Amino acid sequence: MTESRRASLRSRILELSRFLSVGAVAFVVDLGLFNVLRFGPGRLLEDKPLTAKIVSVAAATLVSWLGNRHWTFSSHRTTHRGRELTLYAAINLLGVLIGIGTLAFSHYVLNLRTPLEDNISTVLGIVLGTIVRYVGYKKLVFTARGSAPDATPATVAPTLVERAGREGPES
């Protein structure tokens, strides 16, 4: 294996690790909030699994967007923020529909309604949605050629300092 290929593979592994780390945090938010809303104190949405899922997915999406935009794909952000946001939202909506769809199918078609069964269908939806999101974000959203695929705080900080020096103090 050539050095170039090794570097490319290392970069991809780092990116996937970051993506999965962000996804793990979003997963905890999604599944945790879903369970709190359905089965936690007050059982706020006990009889409304889809509403609970929509709320938990919305919170997890915010966490995911922040992590992916500012860490996973930070060196691949384009200058067209509106385009990025629109495509990100569309791809995420597809991932959300996959997650909601697996829960709806399990809950209403298969009549699997225990907390365990709801959670299994939720996990399946999250896994399928995650695959769709990664491919979509990589191929359609964060498409700029990054000059620093390993953007870490050490490599980002000088850029921010340089930018602040060029723009001067804010008034």
Side-chain angles (χ1 to χ4, degrees):
M1 185 180 286
T2 67
E3 185 61 35
S4 168
R5 236 167 127 69
R6 260 189 290 245
S8 178
L9 180 60
R10 200 171 328 136
S11 177
R12 178 60 57 99
I13 289 171
L14 179 61
E15 180 181 84
L16 282 168
S17 297
R18 288 177 178 175
F19 181 78
L20 292 174
S21 295
V22 169
V25 172
F27 172 84
V28 169
V29 170
D30 186 3
L31 199 58
L33 185 55
F34 176 78
N35 278 291
V36 166
L37 292 171
R38 291 277 327 275
F39 313 113
R43 298 179 182 249
L44 298 173
L45 297 173
E46 180 178 21
D47 296 327
K48 298 183 178 188
L50 299 184
T51 303
K53 185 65 179 168
I54 289 167
V55 170
S56 71
V57 163
T61 297
L62 179 59
V63 168
S64 171
W65 179 77
L66 290 169
N68 284 319
R69 172 103 174 119
H70 296 288
W71 190 40
T72 306
F73 300 110
S74 64
S75 64
H76 298 285
R77 288 184 268 177
T78 69
T79 58
H80 307 288
R81 290 184 196 153
R83 175 191 168 277
E84 264 188 21
L85 182 57
T86 301
L87 287 172
Y88 188 93
I91 291 165
N92 199 59
L93 179 60
L94 179 59
V96 167
L97 292 175
I98 290 168
I100 292 170
T102 59
L103 177 62
F105 183 77
S106 164
H107 201 82
Y108 296 113
V109 175
L110 300 178
N111 202 30
L112 301 173
R113 296 172 179 242
T114 69
L116 177 62
E117 292 163 341
D118 278 354
N119 280 301
I120 289 171
S121 66
T122 295
V123 169
L124 177 62
I126 289 170
V127 169
L128 295 174
T130 297
I131 293 167
V132 167
R133 285 179 180 105
Y134 178 77
V135 171
Y137 297 160
K138 181 81 175 156
K139 299 288 184 187
L140 300 171
V141 179
F142 302 109
T143 57
R145 296 281 180 204
S147 59
D150 302 346
T152 61
T155 60
V156 173
T159 305
L160 294 175
V161 170
E162 290 167 6
R163 186 181 310 150
R166 281 194 309 266
E167 295 172 0
E170 292 182 11
S171 39

